Amino acid sequence: MILRLLSSLNGHLGKPTSILATLGTRYPSCGSVIRSTVQRGQSTQAPANRVYDVNTKVPKDVMLFKYENPRFFKVLNIFAVSQFLFWGYLCHFSYTTLKDAPVQEDGKEELPWYKRVNLGENKYRNGIAIMCFFIGYGVLFASWMFTLRSVRYLVLRKGGDKVSVVTYAPFGTNRIMDVPLKYVSAQESREAARVTVPVKIKNRALFYMLDMRGEFTNTKLYDYTVGLSRKLK
């Protein structure tokens, strides 16, 4: 009888609930035994991807992310420096060259608007000079901050308590800093990000950017270390 019950059970694996109900009706004693056996088998299945299954206490340094694109940042900073020099020259030129040349009142109303403006007047000359300086400085500052916040390498240090953040620098070098892992918080998950993954570091202005064109060399370890969202107090 038990063999017939087992063969019937194998033929209806897709409907375990209905089988148990049938067995409980026809064969009360056998149904209770099989039901308890199935429940024990289901309870022994462990959930996958648990946090405590990932060993973050690494015995040696492990690279989590890399983004190799030095040529882009070299071109970007050459452009920024050239813009700063260009606008700096315009600043100096406008301040030293523009002369005060008042427009005669006779027939002033008949002149085009650009001929009625005295660019050598102090308010125009100083305004143009200041505007040129801030445009050049703004382009340079924005380019350098973008470079310094673009992550080139992420390395989880031995022991898993610290992470080395290696960023690009304006003059083709690298900038390296070791940060405790508890001071690092990812603002977006790796799967949801499209362009960059912003990472916040405690006591640091702005965000550090992980470009999605880079390579996550150890995705599972990244997700349970740098990729976690933490509350930075």
Side-chain angles (χ1 to χ4, degrees):
M1 180 183 298
I2 297 299
L3 294 177
R4 288 199 302 270
L5 290 175
L6 292 177
S7 62
S8 175
L9 181 62
N10 291 332
H12 300 82
L13 288 177
K15 303 177 180 179
T17 305
S18 60
I19 291 174
L20 291 177
T22 304
L23 292 176
T25 303
R26 296 183 180 181
Y27 309 99
S29 59
C30 294
S32 61
V33 173
I34 294 176
R35 185 182 298 106
S36 61
T37 304
V38 172
Q39 291 176 352
R40 285 199 304 271
Q42 292 177 348
S43 63
T44 56
Q45 294 179 356
N49 296 330
R50 296 175 298 186
V51 175
Y52 48 83
D53 286 340
V54 180
N55 182 19
T56 60
K57 304 295 182 180
V58 292
K60 61 180 181 179
D61 295 349
V62 178
M63 182 175 292
L64 304 178
F65 172 83
K66 65 178 181 179
Y67 174 53
E68 290 287 356
N69 196 3
R71 184 175 179 274
F72 168 77
F73 291 97
K74 182 179 179 180
V75 173
L76 175 65
N77 285 278
I78 291 175
F79 168 78
V81 171
S82 63
Q83 286 293 303
F84 178 75
L85 295 176
F86 171 76
W87 289 101
Y89 171 75
L90 285 183
C91 173
H92 174 75
F93 175 82
S94 61
Y95 187 78
T96 58
T97 305
L98 293 177
K99 302 299 181 180
D100 187 10
V103 181
Q104 296 181 358
E105 296 296 331
D106 297 338
K108 181 179 179 180
E109 300 297 331
E110 298 178 359
L111 296 175
W113 66 269
Y114 57 88
K115 290 186 178 181
R116 287 179 288 175
V117 178
N118 180 15
L119 295 179
E121 192 177 353
N122 285 336
K123 63 178 182 180
Y124 291 113
R125 183 184 62 180
N126 295 336
I128 292 173
I130 293 173
M131 181 188 66
C132 292
F133 174 78
F134 277 105
I135 290 177
Y137 182 77
V139 172
L140 182 66
F141 177 80
S143 300
W144 280 10
M145 289 305 297
F146 178 75
T147 301
L148 292 171
R149 290 299 183 269
S150 297
V151 178
R152 186 172 188 173
Y153 303 114
L154 272 181
V155 181
L156 185 64
R157 303 309 295 262
K158 180 180 178 181
D161 296 329
K162 292 184 178 181
V163 60
S164 290
V165 182
V166 183
T167 65
Y168 288 93
F171 299 104
T173 58
N174 293 331
R175 188 180 182 187
I176 306 174
M177 60 179 177
D178 291 335
V179 183
L181 195 59
K182 62 182 180 180
Y183 292 162
V184 180
S185 175
Q187 304 300 302
E188 193 174 6
S189 66
R190 175 176 52 84
E191 292 83 359
R194 294 185 178 182
V195 180
T196 59
V197 178
V199 176
K200 179 64 177 176
I201 297 179
K202 187 177 180 180
N203 299 327
R204 297 281 179 172
L206 305 179
F207 292 98
Y208 288 80
M209 298 297 176
L210 307 181
D211 199 302
M212 291 303 295
R213 291 174 295 181
E215 178 185 359
F216 291 89
T217 55
N218 195 320
T219 56
K220 191 172 185 180
L221 195 57
Y222 166 84
D223 291 339
Y224 291 110
T225 53
V226 178
L228 294 178
S229 178
R230 298 177 176 88
K231 293 184 178 180
L232 304 178
K233 298 181 180 180

